[in-house]
């Protein structure tokens, strides 16, 4: 059983389309992070959100932390082939001290 | 700026053999971690360290061991390799504070046959 669930598991879209991926849990998290991982490399941090309801933007990427701090979403506008990769969410449960990772959403953006 | 360096990049082990995965960071981070990544399962924490001389078990520590004699180095030891240890292993480090993310190495792909 995963503490953090991510959906969809796989997503294949055309360049220029918009998309949203989700990270959900039944537990409350004190903070949540999103990473992107490319083949053969380690994950790279995209953003950290710490406040319920918080929205952060990074160019074409918009991240939102749920009001109840149990879920998060990542929205990409006008996706590009360079956005292709595995998107991982990670959070620290209120009862814990280490980050736990979701299984990831594998995104493929076709030119 | 090297960040987190892992060696080797690839390794094939026979069942029962042992090996050490090396990890070095040059950012003076106190926190260091070892994760394994299996398809569709995300990253699972094996061991972590909050500073030199201090280590603790993560979610999946069986079959592994670690040491942290310096701030920079955090090697992972596999004793008596088993096929279940076939995976991609990542070392990571970070500074204290949940707002700071991990810096990951580029991984070691291990196959046990």
């Amino acid at each position: 059983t995963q503490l953090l669930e991510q959906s969809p598991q796989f997503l294949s879209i055309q360049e220029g389309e918009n998309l949203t991926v989700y990270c959900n849990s039944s537990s409350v998290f004190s903070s949540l992070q999103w990473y992107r991982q490319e083949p053969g490399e380690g994950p790279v941090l995209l953003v950290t959100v710490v406040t319920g309801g918080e929205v952060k933007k990074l160019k074409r990427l918009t991240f939102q932390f749920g009001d109840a701090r149990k879920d998060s979403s990542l929205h990409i506008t006008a996706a590009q082939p360079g956005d292709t990769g595995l998107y991982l969410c990670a959070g620290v449960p209120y009862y814990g001290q280490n980050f736990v990772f979701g299984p990831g959403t594998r995104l493929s953006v076709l030119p | 700026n090297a960040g987190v360096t892992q060696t080797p990049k690839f390794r094939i082990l026979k069942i029962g053999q042992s090996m050490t995965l090396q990890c070095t960071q040059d950012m003076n981070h106190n926190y260091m971690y070892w994760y394994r990544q299996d398809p569709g399962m995300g990253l699972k924490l094996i061991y972590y360290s909050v500073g030199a001389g201090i280590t603790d078990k993560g979610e999946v520590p069986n079959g592994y061991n670690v040491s942290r004699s310096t701030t920079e180095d955090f090697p992972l030891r596999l004793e008596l390799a088993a096929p279940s240890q076939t995976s991609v292993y990542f070392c990571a480090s970070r500074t204290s504070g949940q707002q700071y993310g991990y810096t990951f190495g580029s991984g070691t792909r291990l196959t046990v046959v």
Side-chain angles (χ1 to χ4, degrees), chain A residues 88-101:
Chain A
L88 296 161
C89 65
V92 180
Y94 262 107
Y95 57 81
Q97 62 175 351
N98 290 315
F99 281 87
V100 294
F101 282 81

Side-chain angles (χ1 to χ4, degrees), chain B residues 33-71:
Chain B
Y33 305 83
W34 275 104
Y35 286 90
R36 59 177 289 172
Q37 186 175 35
D38 300 302
M41 299 299 293
L43 289 154
K44 300 294 185 185
L45 181 63
I46 304 171
Y47 269 95
Y48 67 100
S49 169
V50 300
I54 306 169
T55 63
D56 209 345
K57 295 178 180 179
E59 187 180 357
V60 290
N62 292 343
Y64 307 94
N65 218 330
V66 294
S67 59
R68 184 93 182 272
S69 57
T70 66
T71 298

Side-chain angles (χ1 to χ4, degrees), chain A residues 6-11 21 85-87 103-107, chain B residues 39-41:
Chain A
Q6 291 190 244
S7 62
Q9 187 177 1
F10 299 97
L11 185 58
V21 298
L86 179 67
Y87 287 81
T105 291
R106 190 166 297 280
L107 172 65
Chain B
M41 299 299 293

Side-chain angles (χ1 to χ4, degrees), chain A residues 30-31 35 37 40 97-98, chain B residues 9 37 48 90 98-99 102:
Chain A
S30 55
S31 67
Y35 292 79
Q37 184 180 17
Q97 62 175 351
N98 290 315
Chain B
K9 185 77 172 175
Q37 186 175 35
Y48 67 100
F90 287 98
Q98 291 182 14
Q99 68 271 34
Y102 292 95

Side-chain angles (χ1 to χ4, degrees), chain A residues 26-55:
Chain A
S26 57
S27 298
V28 176
F29 288 84
S30 55
S31 67
L32 201 138
Q33 298 178 339
W34 284 92
Y35 292 79
R36 179 168 66 216
Q37 184 180 17
E38 298 184 13
E41 298 295 329
V44 175
L45 179 69
L46 296 174
V47 77
T48 301
V49 285
V50 297
T51 305
E54 182 176 2
V55 176

Side-chain angles (χ1 to χ4, degrees), chain B residues 95-112:
Chain B
T95 190
S96 61
Q98 291 182 14
Q99 68 271 34
Y100 299 107
Y102 292 95
T103 299
F104 283 89
S106 57
T108 295
R109 183 174 292 276
L110 175 68
T111 302
V112 182

